[in-house]
């Protein structure tokens, strides 16, 4: 028998020769193969599962016999009896090399496993979380060696896991002695790698081998909504997601009105900080309940947010962000204790990481979009717009990336719209209007059926038809333009002008009746002239921001557009283009990325290397300030027309013919488009 058989690992392809009797886990470690272990090879954790392959492998130049590994041992038998090992699996720390062998490491046994993202643009997230579990056996105290339990734990971590100096907070230190004694000198520690601080830190500990899992929260803290994703820190799986309205809305709908509130009400920032922290605690409890996990096992939280939200979360007065030169208190990433920002719903020692901001108006949310969509790796020129109350816009390719944020206001999120609402069951999300009859049909969240389907009423009986969500409002306004119900200036025509009874007078303007339930207890859903104006303001701000970046880049066209944002995946590219939200490109060059900022937060939660990457990248992104740029205003005014006053939109014209209608001005119409925008 060859005394140094060949061991080949798949899928990595790493290989080497090892003495007979070498455990597979040891061989994997020596070759740098990604094989997990929490118990350090003691046969307790089962994380090291592998699958040996037998037979002829001409590609690898080996022939693997059934006796290539040591026989099934008592530890494996016991584990199989209690928990069950999948057919063909072995424990890598128990099976030893006896002959040439090919070993497959299944994805769940890889520490840095790749997790495929579920959203529209499939990409992988590498798992390398900042906090991991380690099982250690600690020497019992000895009167001859007068060191403490913590020092012996430190030694054990160093010997068994090659971990350097670690720190421990007092509340966790208090748990150490009882845990060590209960665990008969064995414990499991949750160890945080340390972000910008060099030292590793014990965040929590349990007696013996801890069977549980650790969790993390990725939070997208927006001006209008706050979304949280609860992730399993072993595999990145999203176990629960929830969203709520940002309670700061009562202090002002957009960012600048919140800053003004602070300027005019001393102490107002403290109030807003308290409100948002309370809301985040509530959200953490909600997702933990949904996933049925102990919120105390949430050890990590990552935030992405715009600069004003960033400051208010941290309890920093945001007034400097309300005036040029828009100075941030700190633009670098932050790594702090959850307790420092009163996150009491999760583990008291949990760590919080906040992505870096790009500039005073271009926040950590834009950095998260960059992390998720990686424009700096693109061969062609890509425009990424993350639609929200404040839109984050990135334009670039491999050579250069520009970023700005644009004050779109909350209309795209259904706020400031008369029948607007969040995307919840019952909200209209897709609309089609017949260009001849001007009759609408629509779909609501929670049902696949269109409203002209005979079964629609029954399918929506439990939710009702309650309002229009963000993607619905974009579609209905674009459809109104395509059906000739509204002219390029955004005016809704009268009944006589449009030929439909659905055009109903409302003061000196008109509204389009999208849905009449025929029941006074249910809401009539209309699109009013004021709704159209709010959408015009929002889309003009978005377009003007994109156009400003194009000017800066010296281009008139982009190669492709990525729509992101909480409802980015639901926006119809055609409708977005009819509205003139985005520059004119071929429709097949418009894609959706879902909630890119939220995805960026999840990537940073699951992978510490990604944190380093984005910290470096933000310094290479050129920020463009929209608030002080006169051309922004010019672009904004031209963009109020639908789709645009001066740009030809030739790609759009090749697929849609927009009616040439012009409705006579009733006084009071048409002024809003010339209103100056506030930031928001
Ligand atoms: S390493 Fe823990 S069971 Fe093998």
């Amino acid at each position: 028998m060859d005394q140094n058989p060949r061991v080949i690992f798949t899928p990595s392809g790493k290989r080497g020769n090892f003495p007979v009797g070498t455990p597979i886990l040891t061989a994997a470690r020596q070759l740098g193969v990604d094989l997990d272990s929490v118990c350090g090879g003691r046969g307790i954790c089962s994380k090291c599962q592998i699958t040996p392959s037998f037979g002829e492998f001409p590609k690898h130049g080996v022939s693997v016999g059934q006796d290539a590994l040591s026989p099934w041992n008592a530890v494996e038998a016991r584990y199989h009896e209690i928990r069950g090992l999948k057919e063909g699996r072995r424990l890598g720390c128990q099976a030893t090399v006896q002959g040439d062998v090919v070993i497959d490491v299944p994805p769940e046994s890889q520490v840095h496993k790749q997790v495929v993202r579920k959203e529209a643009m499939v990409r992988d997230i590498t798992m390398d979380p900042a906090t991991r579990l380690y099982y250690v056996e600690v020497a019992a105290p000895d009167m001859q060696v007068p060191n403490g339990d913590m020092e012996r734990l430190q030694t054990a971590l160093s010997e068994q896991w090659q971990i350097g100096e670690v720190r421990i907070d007092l509340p966790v230190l208090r748990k150490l002695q009882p845990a060590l004694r209960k665990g008969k000198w064995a414990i499991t520690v949750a160890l945080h790698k340390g972000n910008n601080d060099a030292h590793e830190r014990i965040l929590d500990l349990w007696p013996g081998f801890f069977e549980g899992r650790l969790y993390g929260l990725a939070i997208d803290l927006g001006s209008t909504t706050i979304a949280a994703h609860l992730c399993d820190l072993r595999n990145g799986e999203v176990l629960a997601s929830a969203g709520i309205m940002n309670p700061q809305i009562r202090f002002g709908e957009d960012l600048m009105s919140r800053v003004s509130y602070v300027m005019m009400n001393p102490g107002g920032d403290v109030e807003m900080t308290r409100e948002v922290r309370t809301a985040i605690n509530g959200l953490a409890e909600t997702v933990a309940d949904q996933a049925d996990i102990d919120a105390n096992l949430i050890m990590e939280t990552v935030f992405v947010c715009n600069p004003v939200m960033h400051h208010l979360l941290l309890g920093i007065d945001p007034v400097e962000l309300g005036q040029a030169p828009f100075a941030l208190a700190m633009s670098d990433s932050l790594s702090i204790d959850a307790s420092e920002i009163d996150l009491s719903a999760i583990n008291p020692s949990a760590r919080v990481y906040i992505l870096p901001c790009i500039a005073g108006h271009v926040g950590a949310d834009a950095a998260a979009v960059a992390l998720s969509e990686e424009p700096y790796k693109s061969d062609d020129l890509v425009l990424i717009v993350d639609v929200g109350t404040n839109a984050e816009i990135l334009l670039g390719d491999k050579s250069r990336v520009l970023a700005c944020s644009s004050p779109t206001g909350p209309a795209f999120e259904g706020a400031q719209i008369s029948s607007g609402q969040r995307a919840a069951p019952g909200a209209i999300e897709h609309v089609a209007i017949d260009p001849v009859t001007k009759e609408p049909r629509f779909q609501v969240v929670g049902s696949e059926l269109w409203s002209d389907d005979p079964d629609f009423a029954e399918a929506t009986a439990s939710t009702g038809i309650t309002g229009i969500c963000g993607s619905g409002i974009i579609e209905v306004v674009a459809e109104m333009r395509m059906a000739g119900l509204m002219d390029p200036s955004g005016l809704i025509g009268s009944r006589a002008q449009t030929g439909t009874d659905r055009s109903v007078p409302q003061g000196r303007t008109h509204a389009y009746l999208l849905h009449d339930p025929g029941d006074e207890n249910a809401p009539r859903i209309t699109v009013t002239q004021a709704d159209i104006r709010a959408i015009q303001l929002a889309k003009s701000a978005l377009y003007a921001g994109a156009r400003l970046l194009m000017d800066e880049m010296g281009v008139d066209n982009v190669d492709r557009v990525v729509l992101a944002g909480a409802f980015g995946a639901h926006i119809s590219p055609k409708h977005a283009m009819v509205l003139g939200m985005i520059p004119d490109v071929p429709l097949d060059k418009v894609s959706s990325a879902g909630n890119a900022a939220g995805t960026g937060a999840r990537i940073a939660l699951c992978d510490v290397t990604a944190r380093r990457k984005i910290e470096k990248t933000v310094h290479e992104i050129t920020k463009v300030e929209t608030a002080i740029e006169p051309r922004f205003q010019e672009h904004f005014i031209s963009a109020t027309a639908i789709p645009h006053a001066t740009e030809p939109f030739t790609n759009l014209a090749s697929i849609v013919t927009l009616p040439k209608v012009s409705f006579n001005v009733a006084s009071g119409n048409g002024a809003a488009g010339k209103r100056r925008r506030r930031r928001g």
Side-chain angles (χ1 to χ4, degrees):
M1 190 206 286
D2 183 352
Q3 289 310 295
N4 283 307
R6 197 142 185 78
V7 182
I8 297 151
F9 286 95
T10 61
S12 67
K14 290 185 175 160
R15 59 195 60 208
N17 290 66
F18 295 90
V20 167
T22 307
I24 295 297
L25 179 65
T26 308
R29 283 189 172 162
Q30 288 181 14
L31 291 173
V33 171
D34 191 10
L35 179 59
D36 201 359
S37 161
V38 169
C39 72
R42 294 180 178 85
I44 302 173
C45 71
S46 84
K47 306 296 182 206
C48 61
Q49 293 183 31
I50 47 108
T51 312
S53 304
F54 304 102
E56 300 299 322
F57 296 89
K59 189 174 139 221
H60 299 311
V62 292
S63 165
V64 183
Q66 292 293 332
D67 55 357
L69 291 183
S70 56
W72 189 254
N73 74 8
V75 174
E76 289 170 300
R78 204 180 123 258
Y79 183 82
H80 183 56
E81 203 181 297
I82 301 171
R83 292 279 167 76
L85 264 179
K86 274 191 197 160
E87 180 82 27
R89 289 275 175 89
R90 300 286 306 267
L91 292 181
C93 62
Q94 302 300 313
T96 62
V97 180
Q98 303 295 319
D100 291 346
V101 67
V102 176
I103 300 286
D104 185 57
V105 181
E108 60 269 32
S109 299
Q110 295 168 19
V111 186
H112 303 134
K113 53 186 84 60
Q114 303 266 300
V115 179
V116 176
R117 229 171 77 183
K118 291 202 183 86
E119 285 91 331
M121 274 179 62
V122 176
R123 220 197 46 219
D124 297 342
I125 295 178
T126 301
M127 289 307 297
D128 188 7
T131 306
R132 285 194 60 203
L133 292 171
Y134 294 87
Y135 171 83
V136 261
E137 289 176 355
V138 179
D142 178 347
M143 279 208 289
Q144 305 307 315
V145 188
N147 58 6
D149 285 1
M150 179 58 202
E151 285 69 30
R152 273 177 282 106
L153 168 59
Q154 171 88 65
T155 306
L157 280 167
S158 162
E159 287 172 1
Q160 292 163 37
W161 291 102
Q162 294 73 51
I163 288 166
E165 190 183 338
V166 296
R167 300 244 165 112
I168 189 165
D169 289 342
L170 188 56
V172 188
L173 180 61
R174 289 190 187 113
K175 295 162 83 173
L176 178 61
Q177 293 205 307
L180 276 174
R181 280 141 188 91
K182 188 168 175 203
K184 301 196 171 34
W185 306 105
I187 60 169
T188 305
V189 298
L191 198 71
H192 182 266
K193 275 185 189 177
N195 282 319
N196 302 323
D197 38 8
H199 292 289
E200 311 219 14
R201 211 161 131 185
I202 296 173
L203 302 186
D204 210 343
L205 47 85
W206 298 266
F209 178 70
F210 176 61
E211 300 268 357
R213 293 186 162 214
L214 302 182
Y215 304 94
L217 282 176
I219 299 185
D220 181 3
L221 171 54
S223 325
T224 305
T225 53
I226 311 173
H229 304 289
L230 177 74
C231 300
D232 184 327
L233 288 182
R234 282 195 66 80
N235 56 18
E237 192 187 339
V238 179
L239 303 173
S241 296
I244 48 166
M245 296 303 274
N246 187 329
Q248 293 173 342
I249 283 182
R250 70 183 175 86
F251 302 98
E253 279 198 322
D254 53 37
L255 295 178
M256 279 310 118
S257 48
R258 283 182 219 168
V259 176
S260 312
Y261 179 83
V262 177
M263 287 171 170
M264 292 159 69
N265 301 277
D269 54 326
V270 179
E271 219 176 329
M272 280 194 267
T273 296
R274 192 171 48 236
E275 292 267 358
V276 79
R277 290 178 179 177
T278 305
I280 293 164
N281 276 319
L283 206 47
E285 281 165 7
T286 304
V287 286
D289 276 358
Q290 265 178 29
D292 198 17
I293 63 137
D294 177 0
N296 217 38
L297 294 174
I298 300 175
M299 295 284 171
E300 292 267 339
T301 300
V302 167
F303 280 97
V304 299
C305 41
N306 62 54
V308 175
M309 293 301 103
H310 174 275
H311 280 39
L312 288 172
L313 171 69
L314 291 169
I316 299 171
D317 187 334
V319 290
E320 291 303 326
L321 297 170
Q323 58 212 6
F326 313 110
L328 286 153
M330 178 167 175
S331 58
D332 282 348
S333 68
L334 265 169
S335 182
I336 55 175
D337 290 340
S339 57
E340 290 179 83
I341 54 169
D342 303 332
L343 294 191
S344 52
I346 62 177
N347 189 293
S349 297
R351 297 288 290 165
V352 170
Y353 177 78
I354 305 176
L355 268 74
C357 290
I358 297 174
H361 273 140
V362 189
D365 42 6
V369 172
L371 181 59
S372 165
E373 299 311 311
E374 303 181 315
Y376 42 83
K377 285 188 181 168
S378 176
D379 287 322
D380 52 5
L381 188 63
V382 58
L383 176 78
I384 303 163
V385 289
D386 189 301
V387 189
T389 304
N390 220 48
E392 272 59 59
I393 309 173
L394 296 156
L395 174 69
D397 57 19
K398 274 180 178 163
S399 62
R400 193 177 173 217
V401 176
L402 309 176
C404 74
S405 106
S406 196
T408 44
F412 287 145
E413 297 186 73
Q416 280 180 355
I417 299 294
S418 58
S419 297
Q421 69 158 91
R422 277 173 51 75
I428 294 174
E429 60 171 345
H430 295 298
V431 181
I433 299 177
D434 187 305
V436 178
T437 64
K438 321 290 184 199
E439 282 301 297
R441 45 192 212 108
F442 53 81
Q443 276 182 310
V444 298
V445 176
S447 171
E448 296 283 290
L449 301 178
W450 282 85
S451 57
D452 54 353
D453 190 292
D455 297 327
F456 179 78
E458 194 186 330
T460 55
S462 61
T463 60
I465 297 154
T466 47
I468 316 176
C469 68
S471 59
I473 193 80
I474 288 167
E475 290 199 11
V476 70
V477 176
E479 287 283 327
M480 285 170 69
R481 176 76 183 92
M482 287 193 281
L485 290 159
M486 185 182 77
D487 71 10
S489 77
L491 266 182
I492 301 174
S494 65
R495 180 180 159 199
Q497 288 165 324
T498 60
T500 174
D501 288 344
R502 287 188 176 267
S503 187
V504 291
Q506 210 174 46
R508 287 182 296 186
T509 61
H510 296 90
Y512 177 70
L513 179 61
L514 180 58
H515 173 62
D516 185 354
D519 170 357
E520 60 187 27
N521 295 318
R524 260 163 72 101
I525 296 172
T526 55
V527 180
T528 67
Q529 191 63 62
D531 294 341
I532 302 282
R533 294 307 181 210
I535 287 295
Q536 279 178 292
L537 296 179
K539 77 100 179 176
S540 309
L542 189 60
Y543 186 88
R547 187 62 235 191
L548 200 60
L549 294 189
M550 289 160 72
D551 287 355
E552 202 66 30
M553 193 66 96
V555 298
D556 284 325
N557 297 295
V558 300
D559 295 323
R560 59 189 176 95
V561 175
V562 176
L563 288 169
F567 63 102
H570 305 286
I571 299 176
S572 139
K574 183 173 103 181
H575 292 98
M577 201 145 355
V578 169
L579 208 57
M581 278 172 74
I582 51 175
D584 185 49
V585 289
L587 266 196
D588 61 356
K589 293 290 179 189
V590 184
S591 60
S592 296
N595 182 359
T599 303
R602 276 177 46 213
I603 294 172
L605 178 68
C606 295
D607 180 12
V608 280
T609 321
R611 299 182 187 181
R612 301 294 90 82
K613 190 166 76 180
I614 197 62
E615 285 160 8
K616 180 170 169 284
T617 302
V618 291
H619 292 295
E620 291 156 8
I621 294 177
T622 311
K623 66 103 194 180
V624 176
E625 182 49 71
T626 54
I628 52 167
E629 177 53 69
R631 277 173 307 159
F632 180 82
Q633 203 60 29
E634 285 164 32
H635 288 315
F636 177 83
I637 289 166
S638 311
T640 49
I642 297 173
H644 197 276
T646 51
E647 300 280 347
F649 274 67
T650 46
N651 286 296
L652 178 66
S654 70
I655 51 160
V656 175
T657 306
L658 295 175
K660 288 192 177 18
V661 287
S662 173
F663 300 130
N664 239 335
V665 180
S667 83
N669 283 338
K674 297 192 176 75
R675 251 185 248 146
R676 285 187 68 83
R677 290 281 305 146
R678 285 187 311 164
R679 279 201 144 275

